[in-house]
Amino acid sequence: MRYVADVVATMDEDCRVHRPGALDVAEGRIAWVGAAADAPVTRGLGEERRVGGLLMPGLVNAHGHSPMTLLRGAGDGLPLERWLSEAIWPKEARLTPEDVWWGMQLGCSELLRAGVTSTCELYLHSGAVADAALAAGIRCVLTPGIFDLPGAGPQATWQRLLEEAAQLHADLDGRDGLLRVGLGPHAAYTLPPDGLAAVAKVARELDALVHVHVAETRAEGDAVRARHGCGVPELLERAGILDGRVLAAHAVWVADDELDLFARQDVAVAHCPQSNAKLGSGVARVPAMIDRGLRVGIGTDGPASNDNLDLWEELKLAPLLARAVACDASVLGAVEALRLATNGGAAALGLDCGSLAPGRVADFVRVELEDAAFVPAQSGEDILTLLVWAASSRLVTDVWVAGRHLVSGGVCRSVDEPRARREVATRARRLRES
Ligand SMILES: [Zn+2]
């Protein structure tokens, strides 16, 4: 299949923009991309679709708990520690796998409609998360949550959850070419040191990604320092976590020497500006991370601390906050922000999506250009800049994952969203009342 569009934004190394551009897709991967006039004459290519608008890689959500659609809006106004212990964990302890399946289905529909084609998920009842993601057709890095969930009893101890995660890795890693399975030790403050060390050992054996909340709030760092005599990054290093492939979510309160440690150990970061702002946690030092060559992606976090799964909002907020904090308009350019949301996230997760280049998976989205947001763009770079500052997810009309057309006309075809909304509303009421 060949797609011809008015604009193709590759988000490759050089951020090339082709106007008009063509994209050839075969067997779920990109076979060729370039200026439409240069498109090769290929026998047996099949259909050519003129889609107009702009094609670009799908966005990569580097940190999410999408089934938390069930808890959307819970605990507004509380700081992280009270938000977790009073508004979130008591409800999560009562979740069933069916609740999580429906929560994830609704989350997938919301993500896909916003042009998000990959998501890194850390949650409970991970088998249900995997099934719901595969049913929706979204690309997913599943990192089953591992910690002692307060109030959940022996079903949710870190030992039990680590065993289940390793089993899920054996059963599901690589499924449908869409699902990767890693490990999700919740945080340094919700797992004992021997739990962190056990996770590190299993992760090394499986060569699995470790996805962990790191230094999200100042209070987290203070508590870890009081208990263990060192900061969160050093505690993770002592436990052996940093010896493997690591994705650190948030990393708001990290000092220069801790960022240097991340750089030495090639730790990737998922920056979640909106969740950090809503919970009053602070602003991560993204420019300092990029200066050190860290792989950085951006994430929505869960829809109870955001409160939606629209990564376009993060895409705009990340550079806005970085500039506001630095009092410097030259910090974190719009094209760089776009790179973080696509290729940067893919690199952070170890996925071969995030740019339109031959050999990469065919995860791409169409953005409507017939909109005031793109007037009066002149150059290709103008269009990329306005994608960040003026456009939004409302202009995403179509979404493909591995070449499969999942969203058309702004509607997610792979999820029964009206049913998912009803199911989540009913189940959320039960969680609130019981
Ligand atoms: Zn999180």
Side-chain angles (χ1 to χ4, degrees), residues 151-166:
Q155 298 306 314
T157 60
W158 70 259
Q159 292 93 338
R160 182 85 173 255
L161 292 170
L162 175 57
E163 261 172 47
E164 286 177 14

Side-chain angles (χ1 to χ4, degrees), residues 63-65 122 186 211 213 216 249-250 272 275 301-302 305:
H63 178 68
H65 319 280
L122 191 163
H186 176 266
H211 178 198
H213 295 90
E216 182 172 350
H250 304 296
C272 304
S275 172
D301 210 351
S305 60

Side-chain angles (χ1 to χ4, degrees), residues 116-202:
V116 180
T117 50
S118 302
T119 187
C120 184
E121 296 289 331
L122 191 163
Y123 211 55
L124 300 155
H125 301 296
S126 294
V129 179
D131 287 346
L134 288 167
I138 200 167
R139 192 174 302 284
C140 181
V141 177
L142 178 74
T143 57
I146 300 166
F147 68 119
D148 293 327
L149 174 62
Q155 298 306 314
T157 60
W158 70 259
Q159 292 93 338
R160 182 85 173 255
L161 292 170
L162 175 57
E163 261 172 47
E164 286 177 14
Q167 190 59 49
L168 276 172
H169 186 278
D171 294 342
L172 292 175
D173 188 45
R175 180 67 59 93
D176 293 358
L178 291 176
L179 187 72
R180 297 308 312 264
V181 180
L183 302 175
H186 176 266
Y189 61 94
T190 46
L191 271 165
D194 59 333
L196 292 171
V199 170
K201 183 165 175 282
V202 173

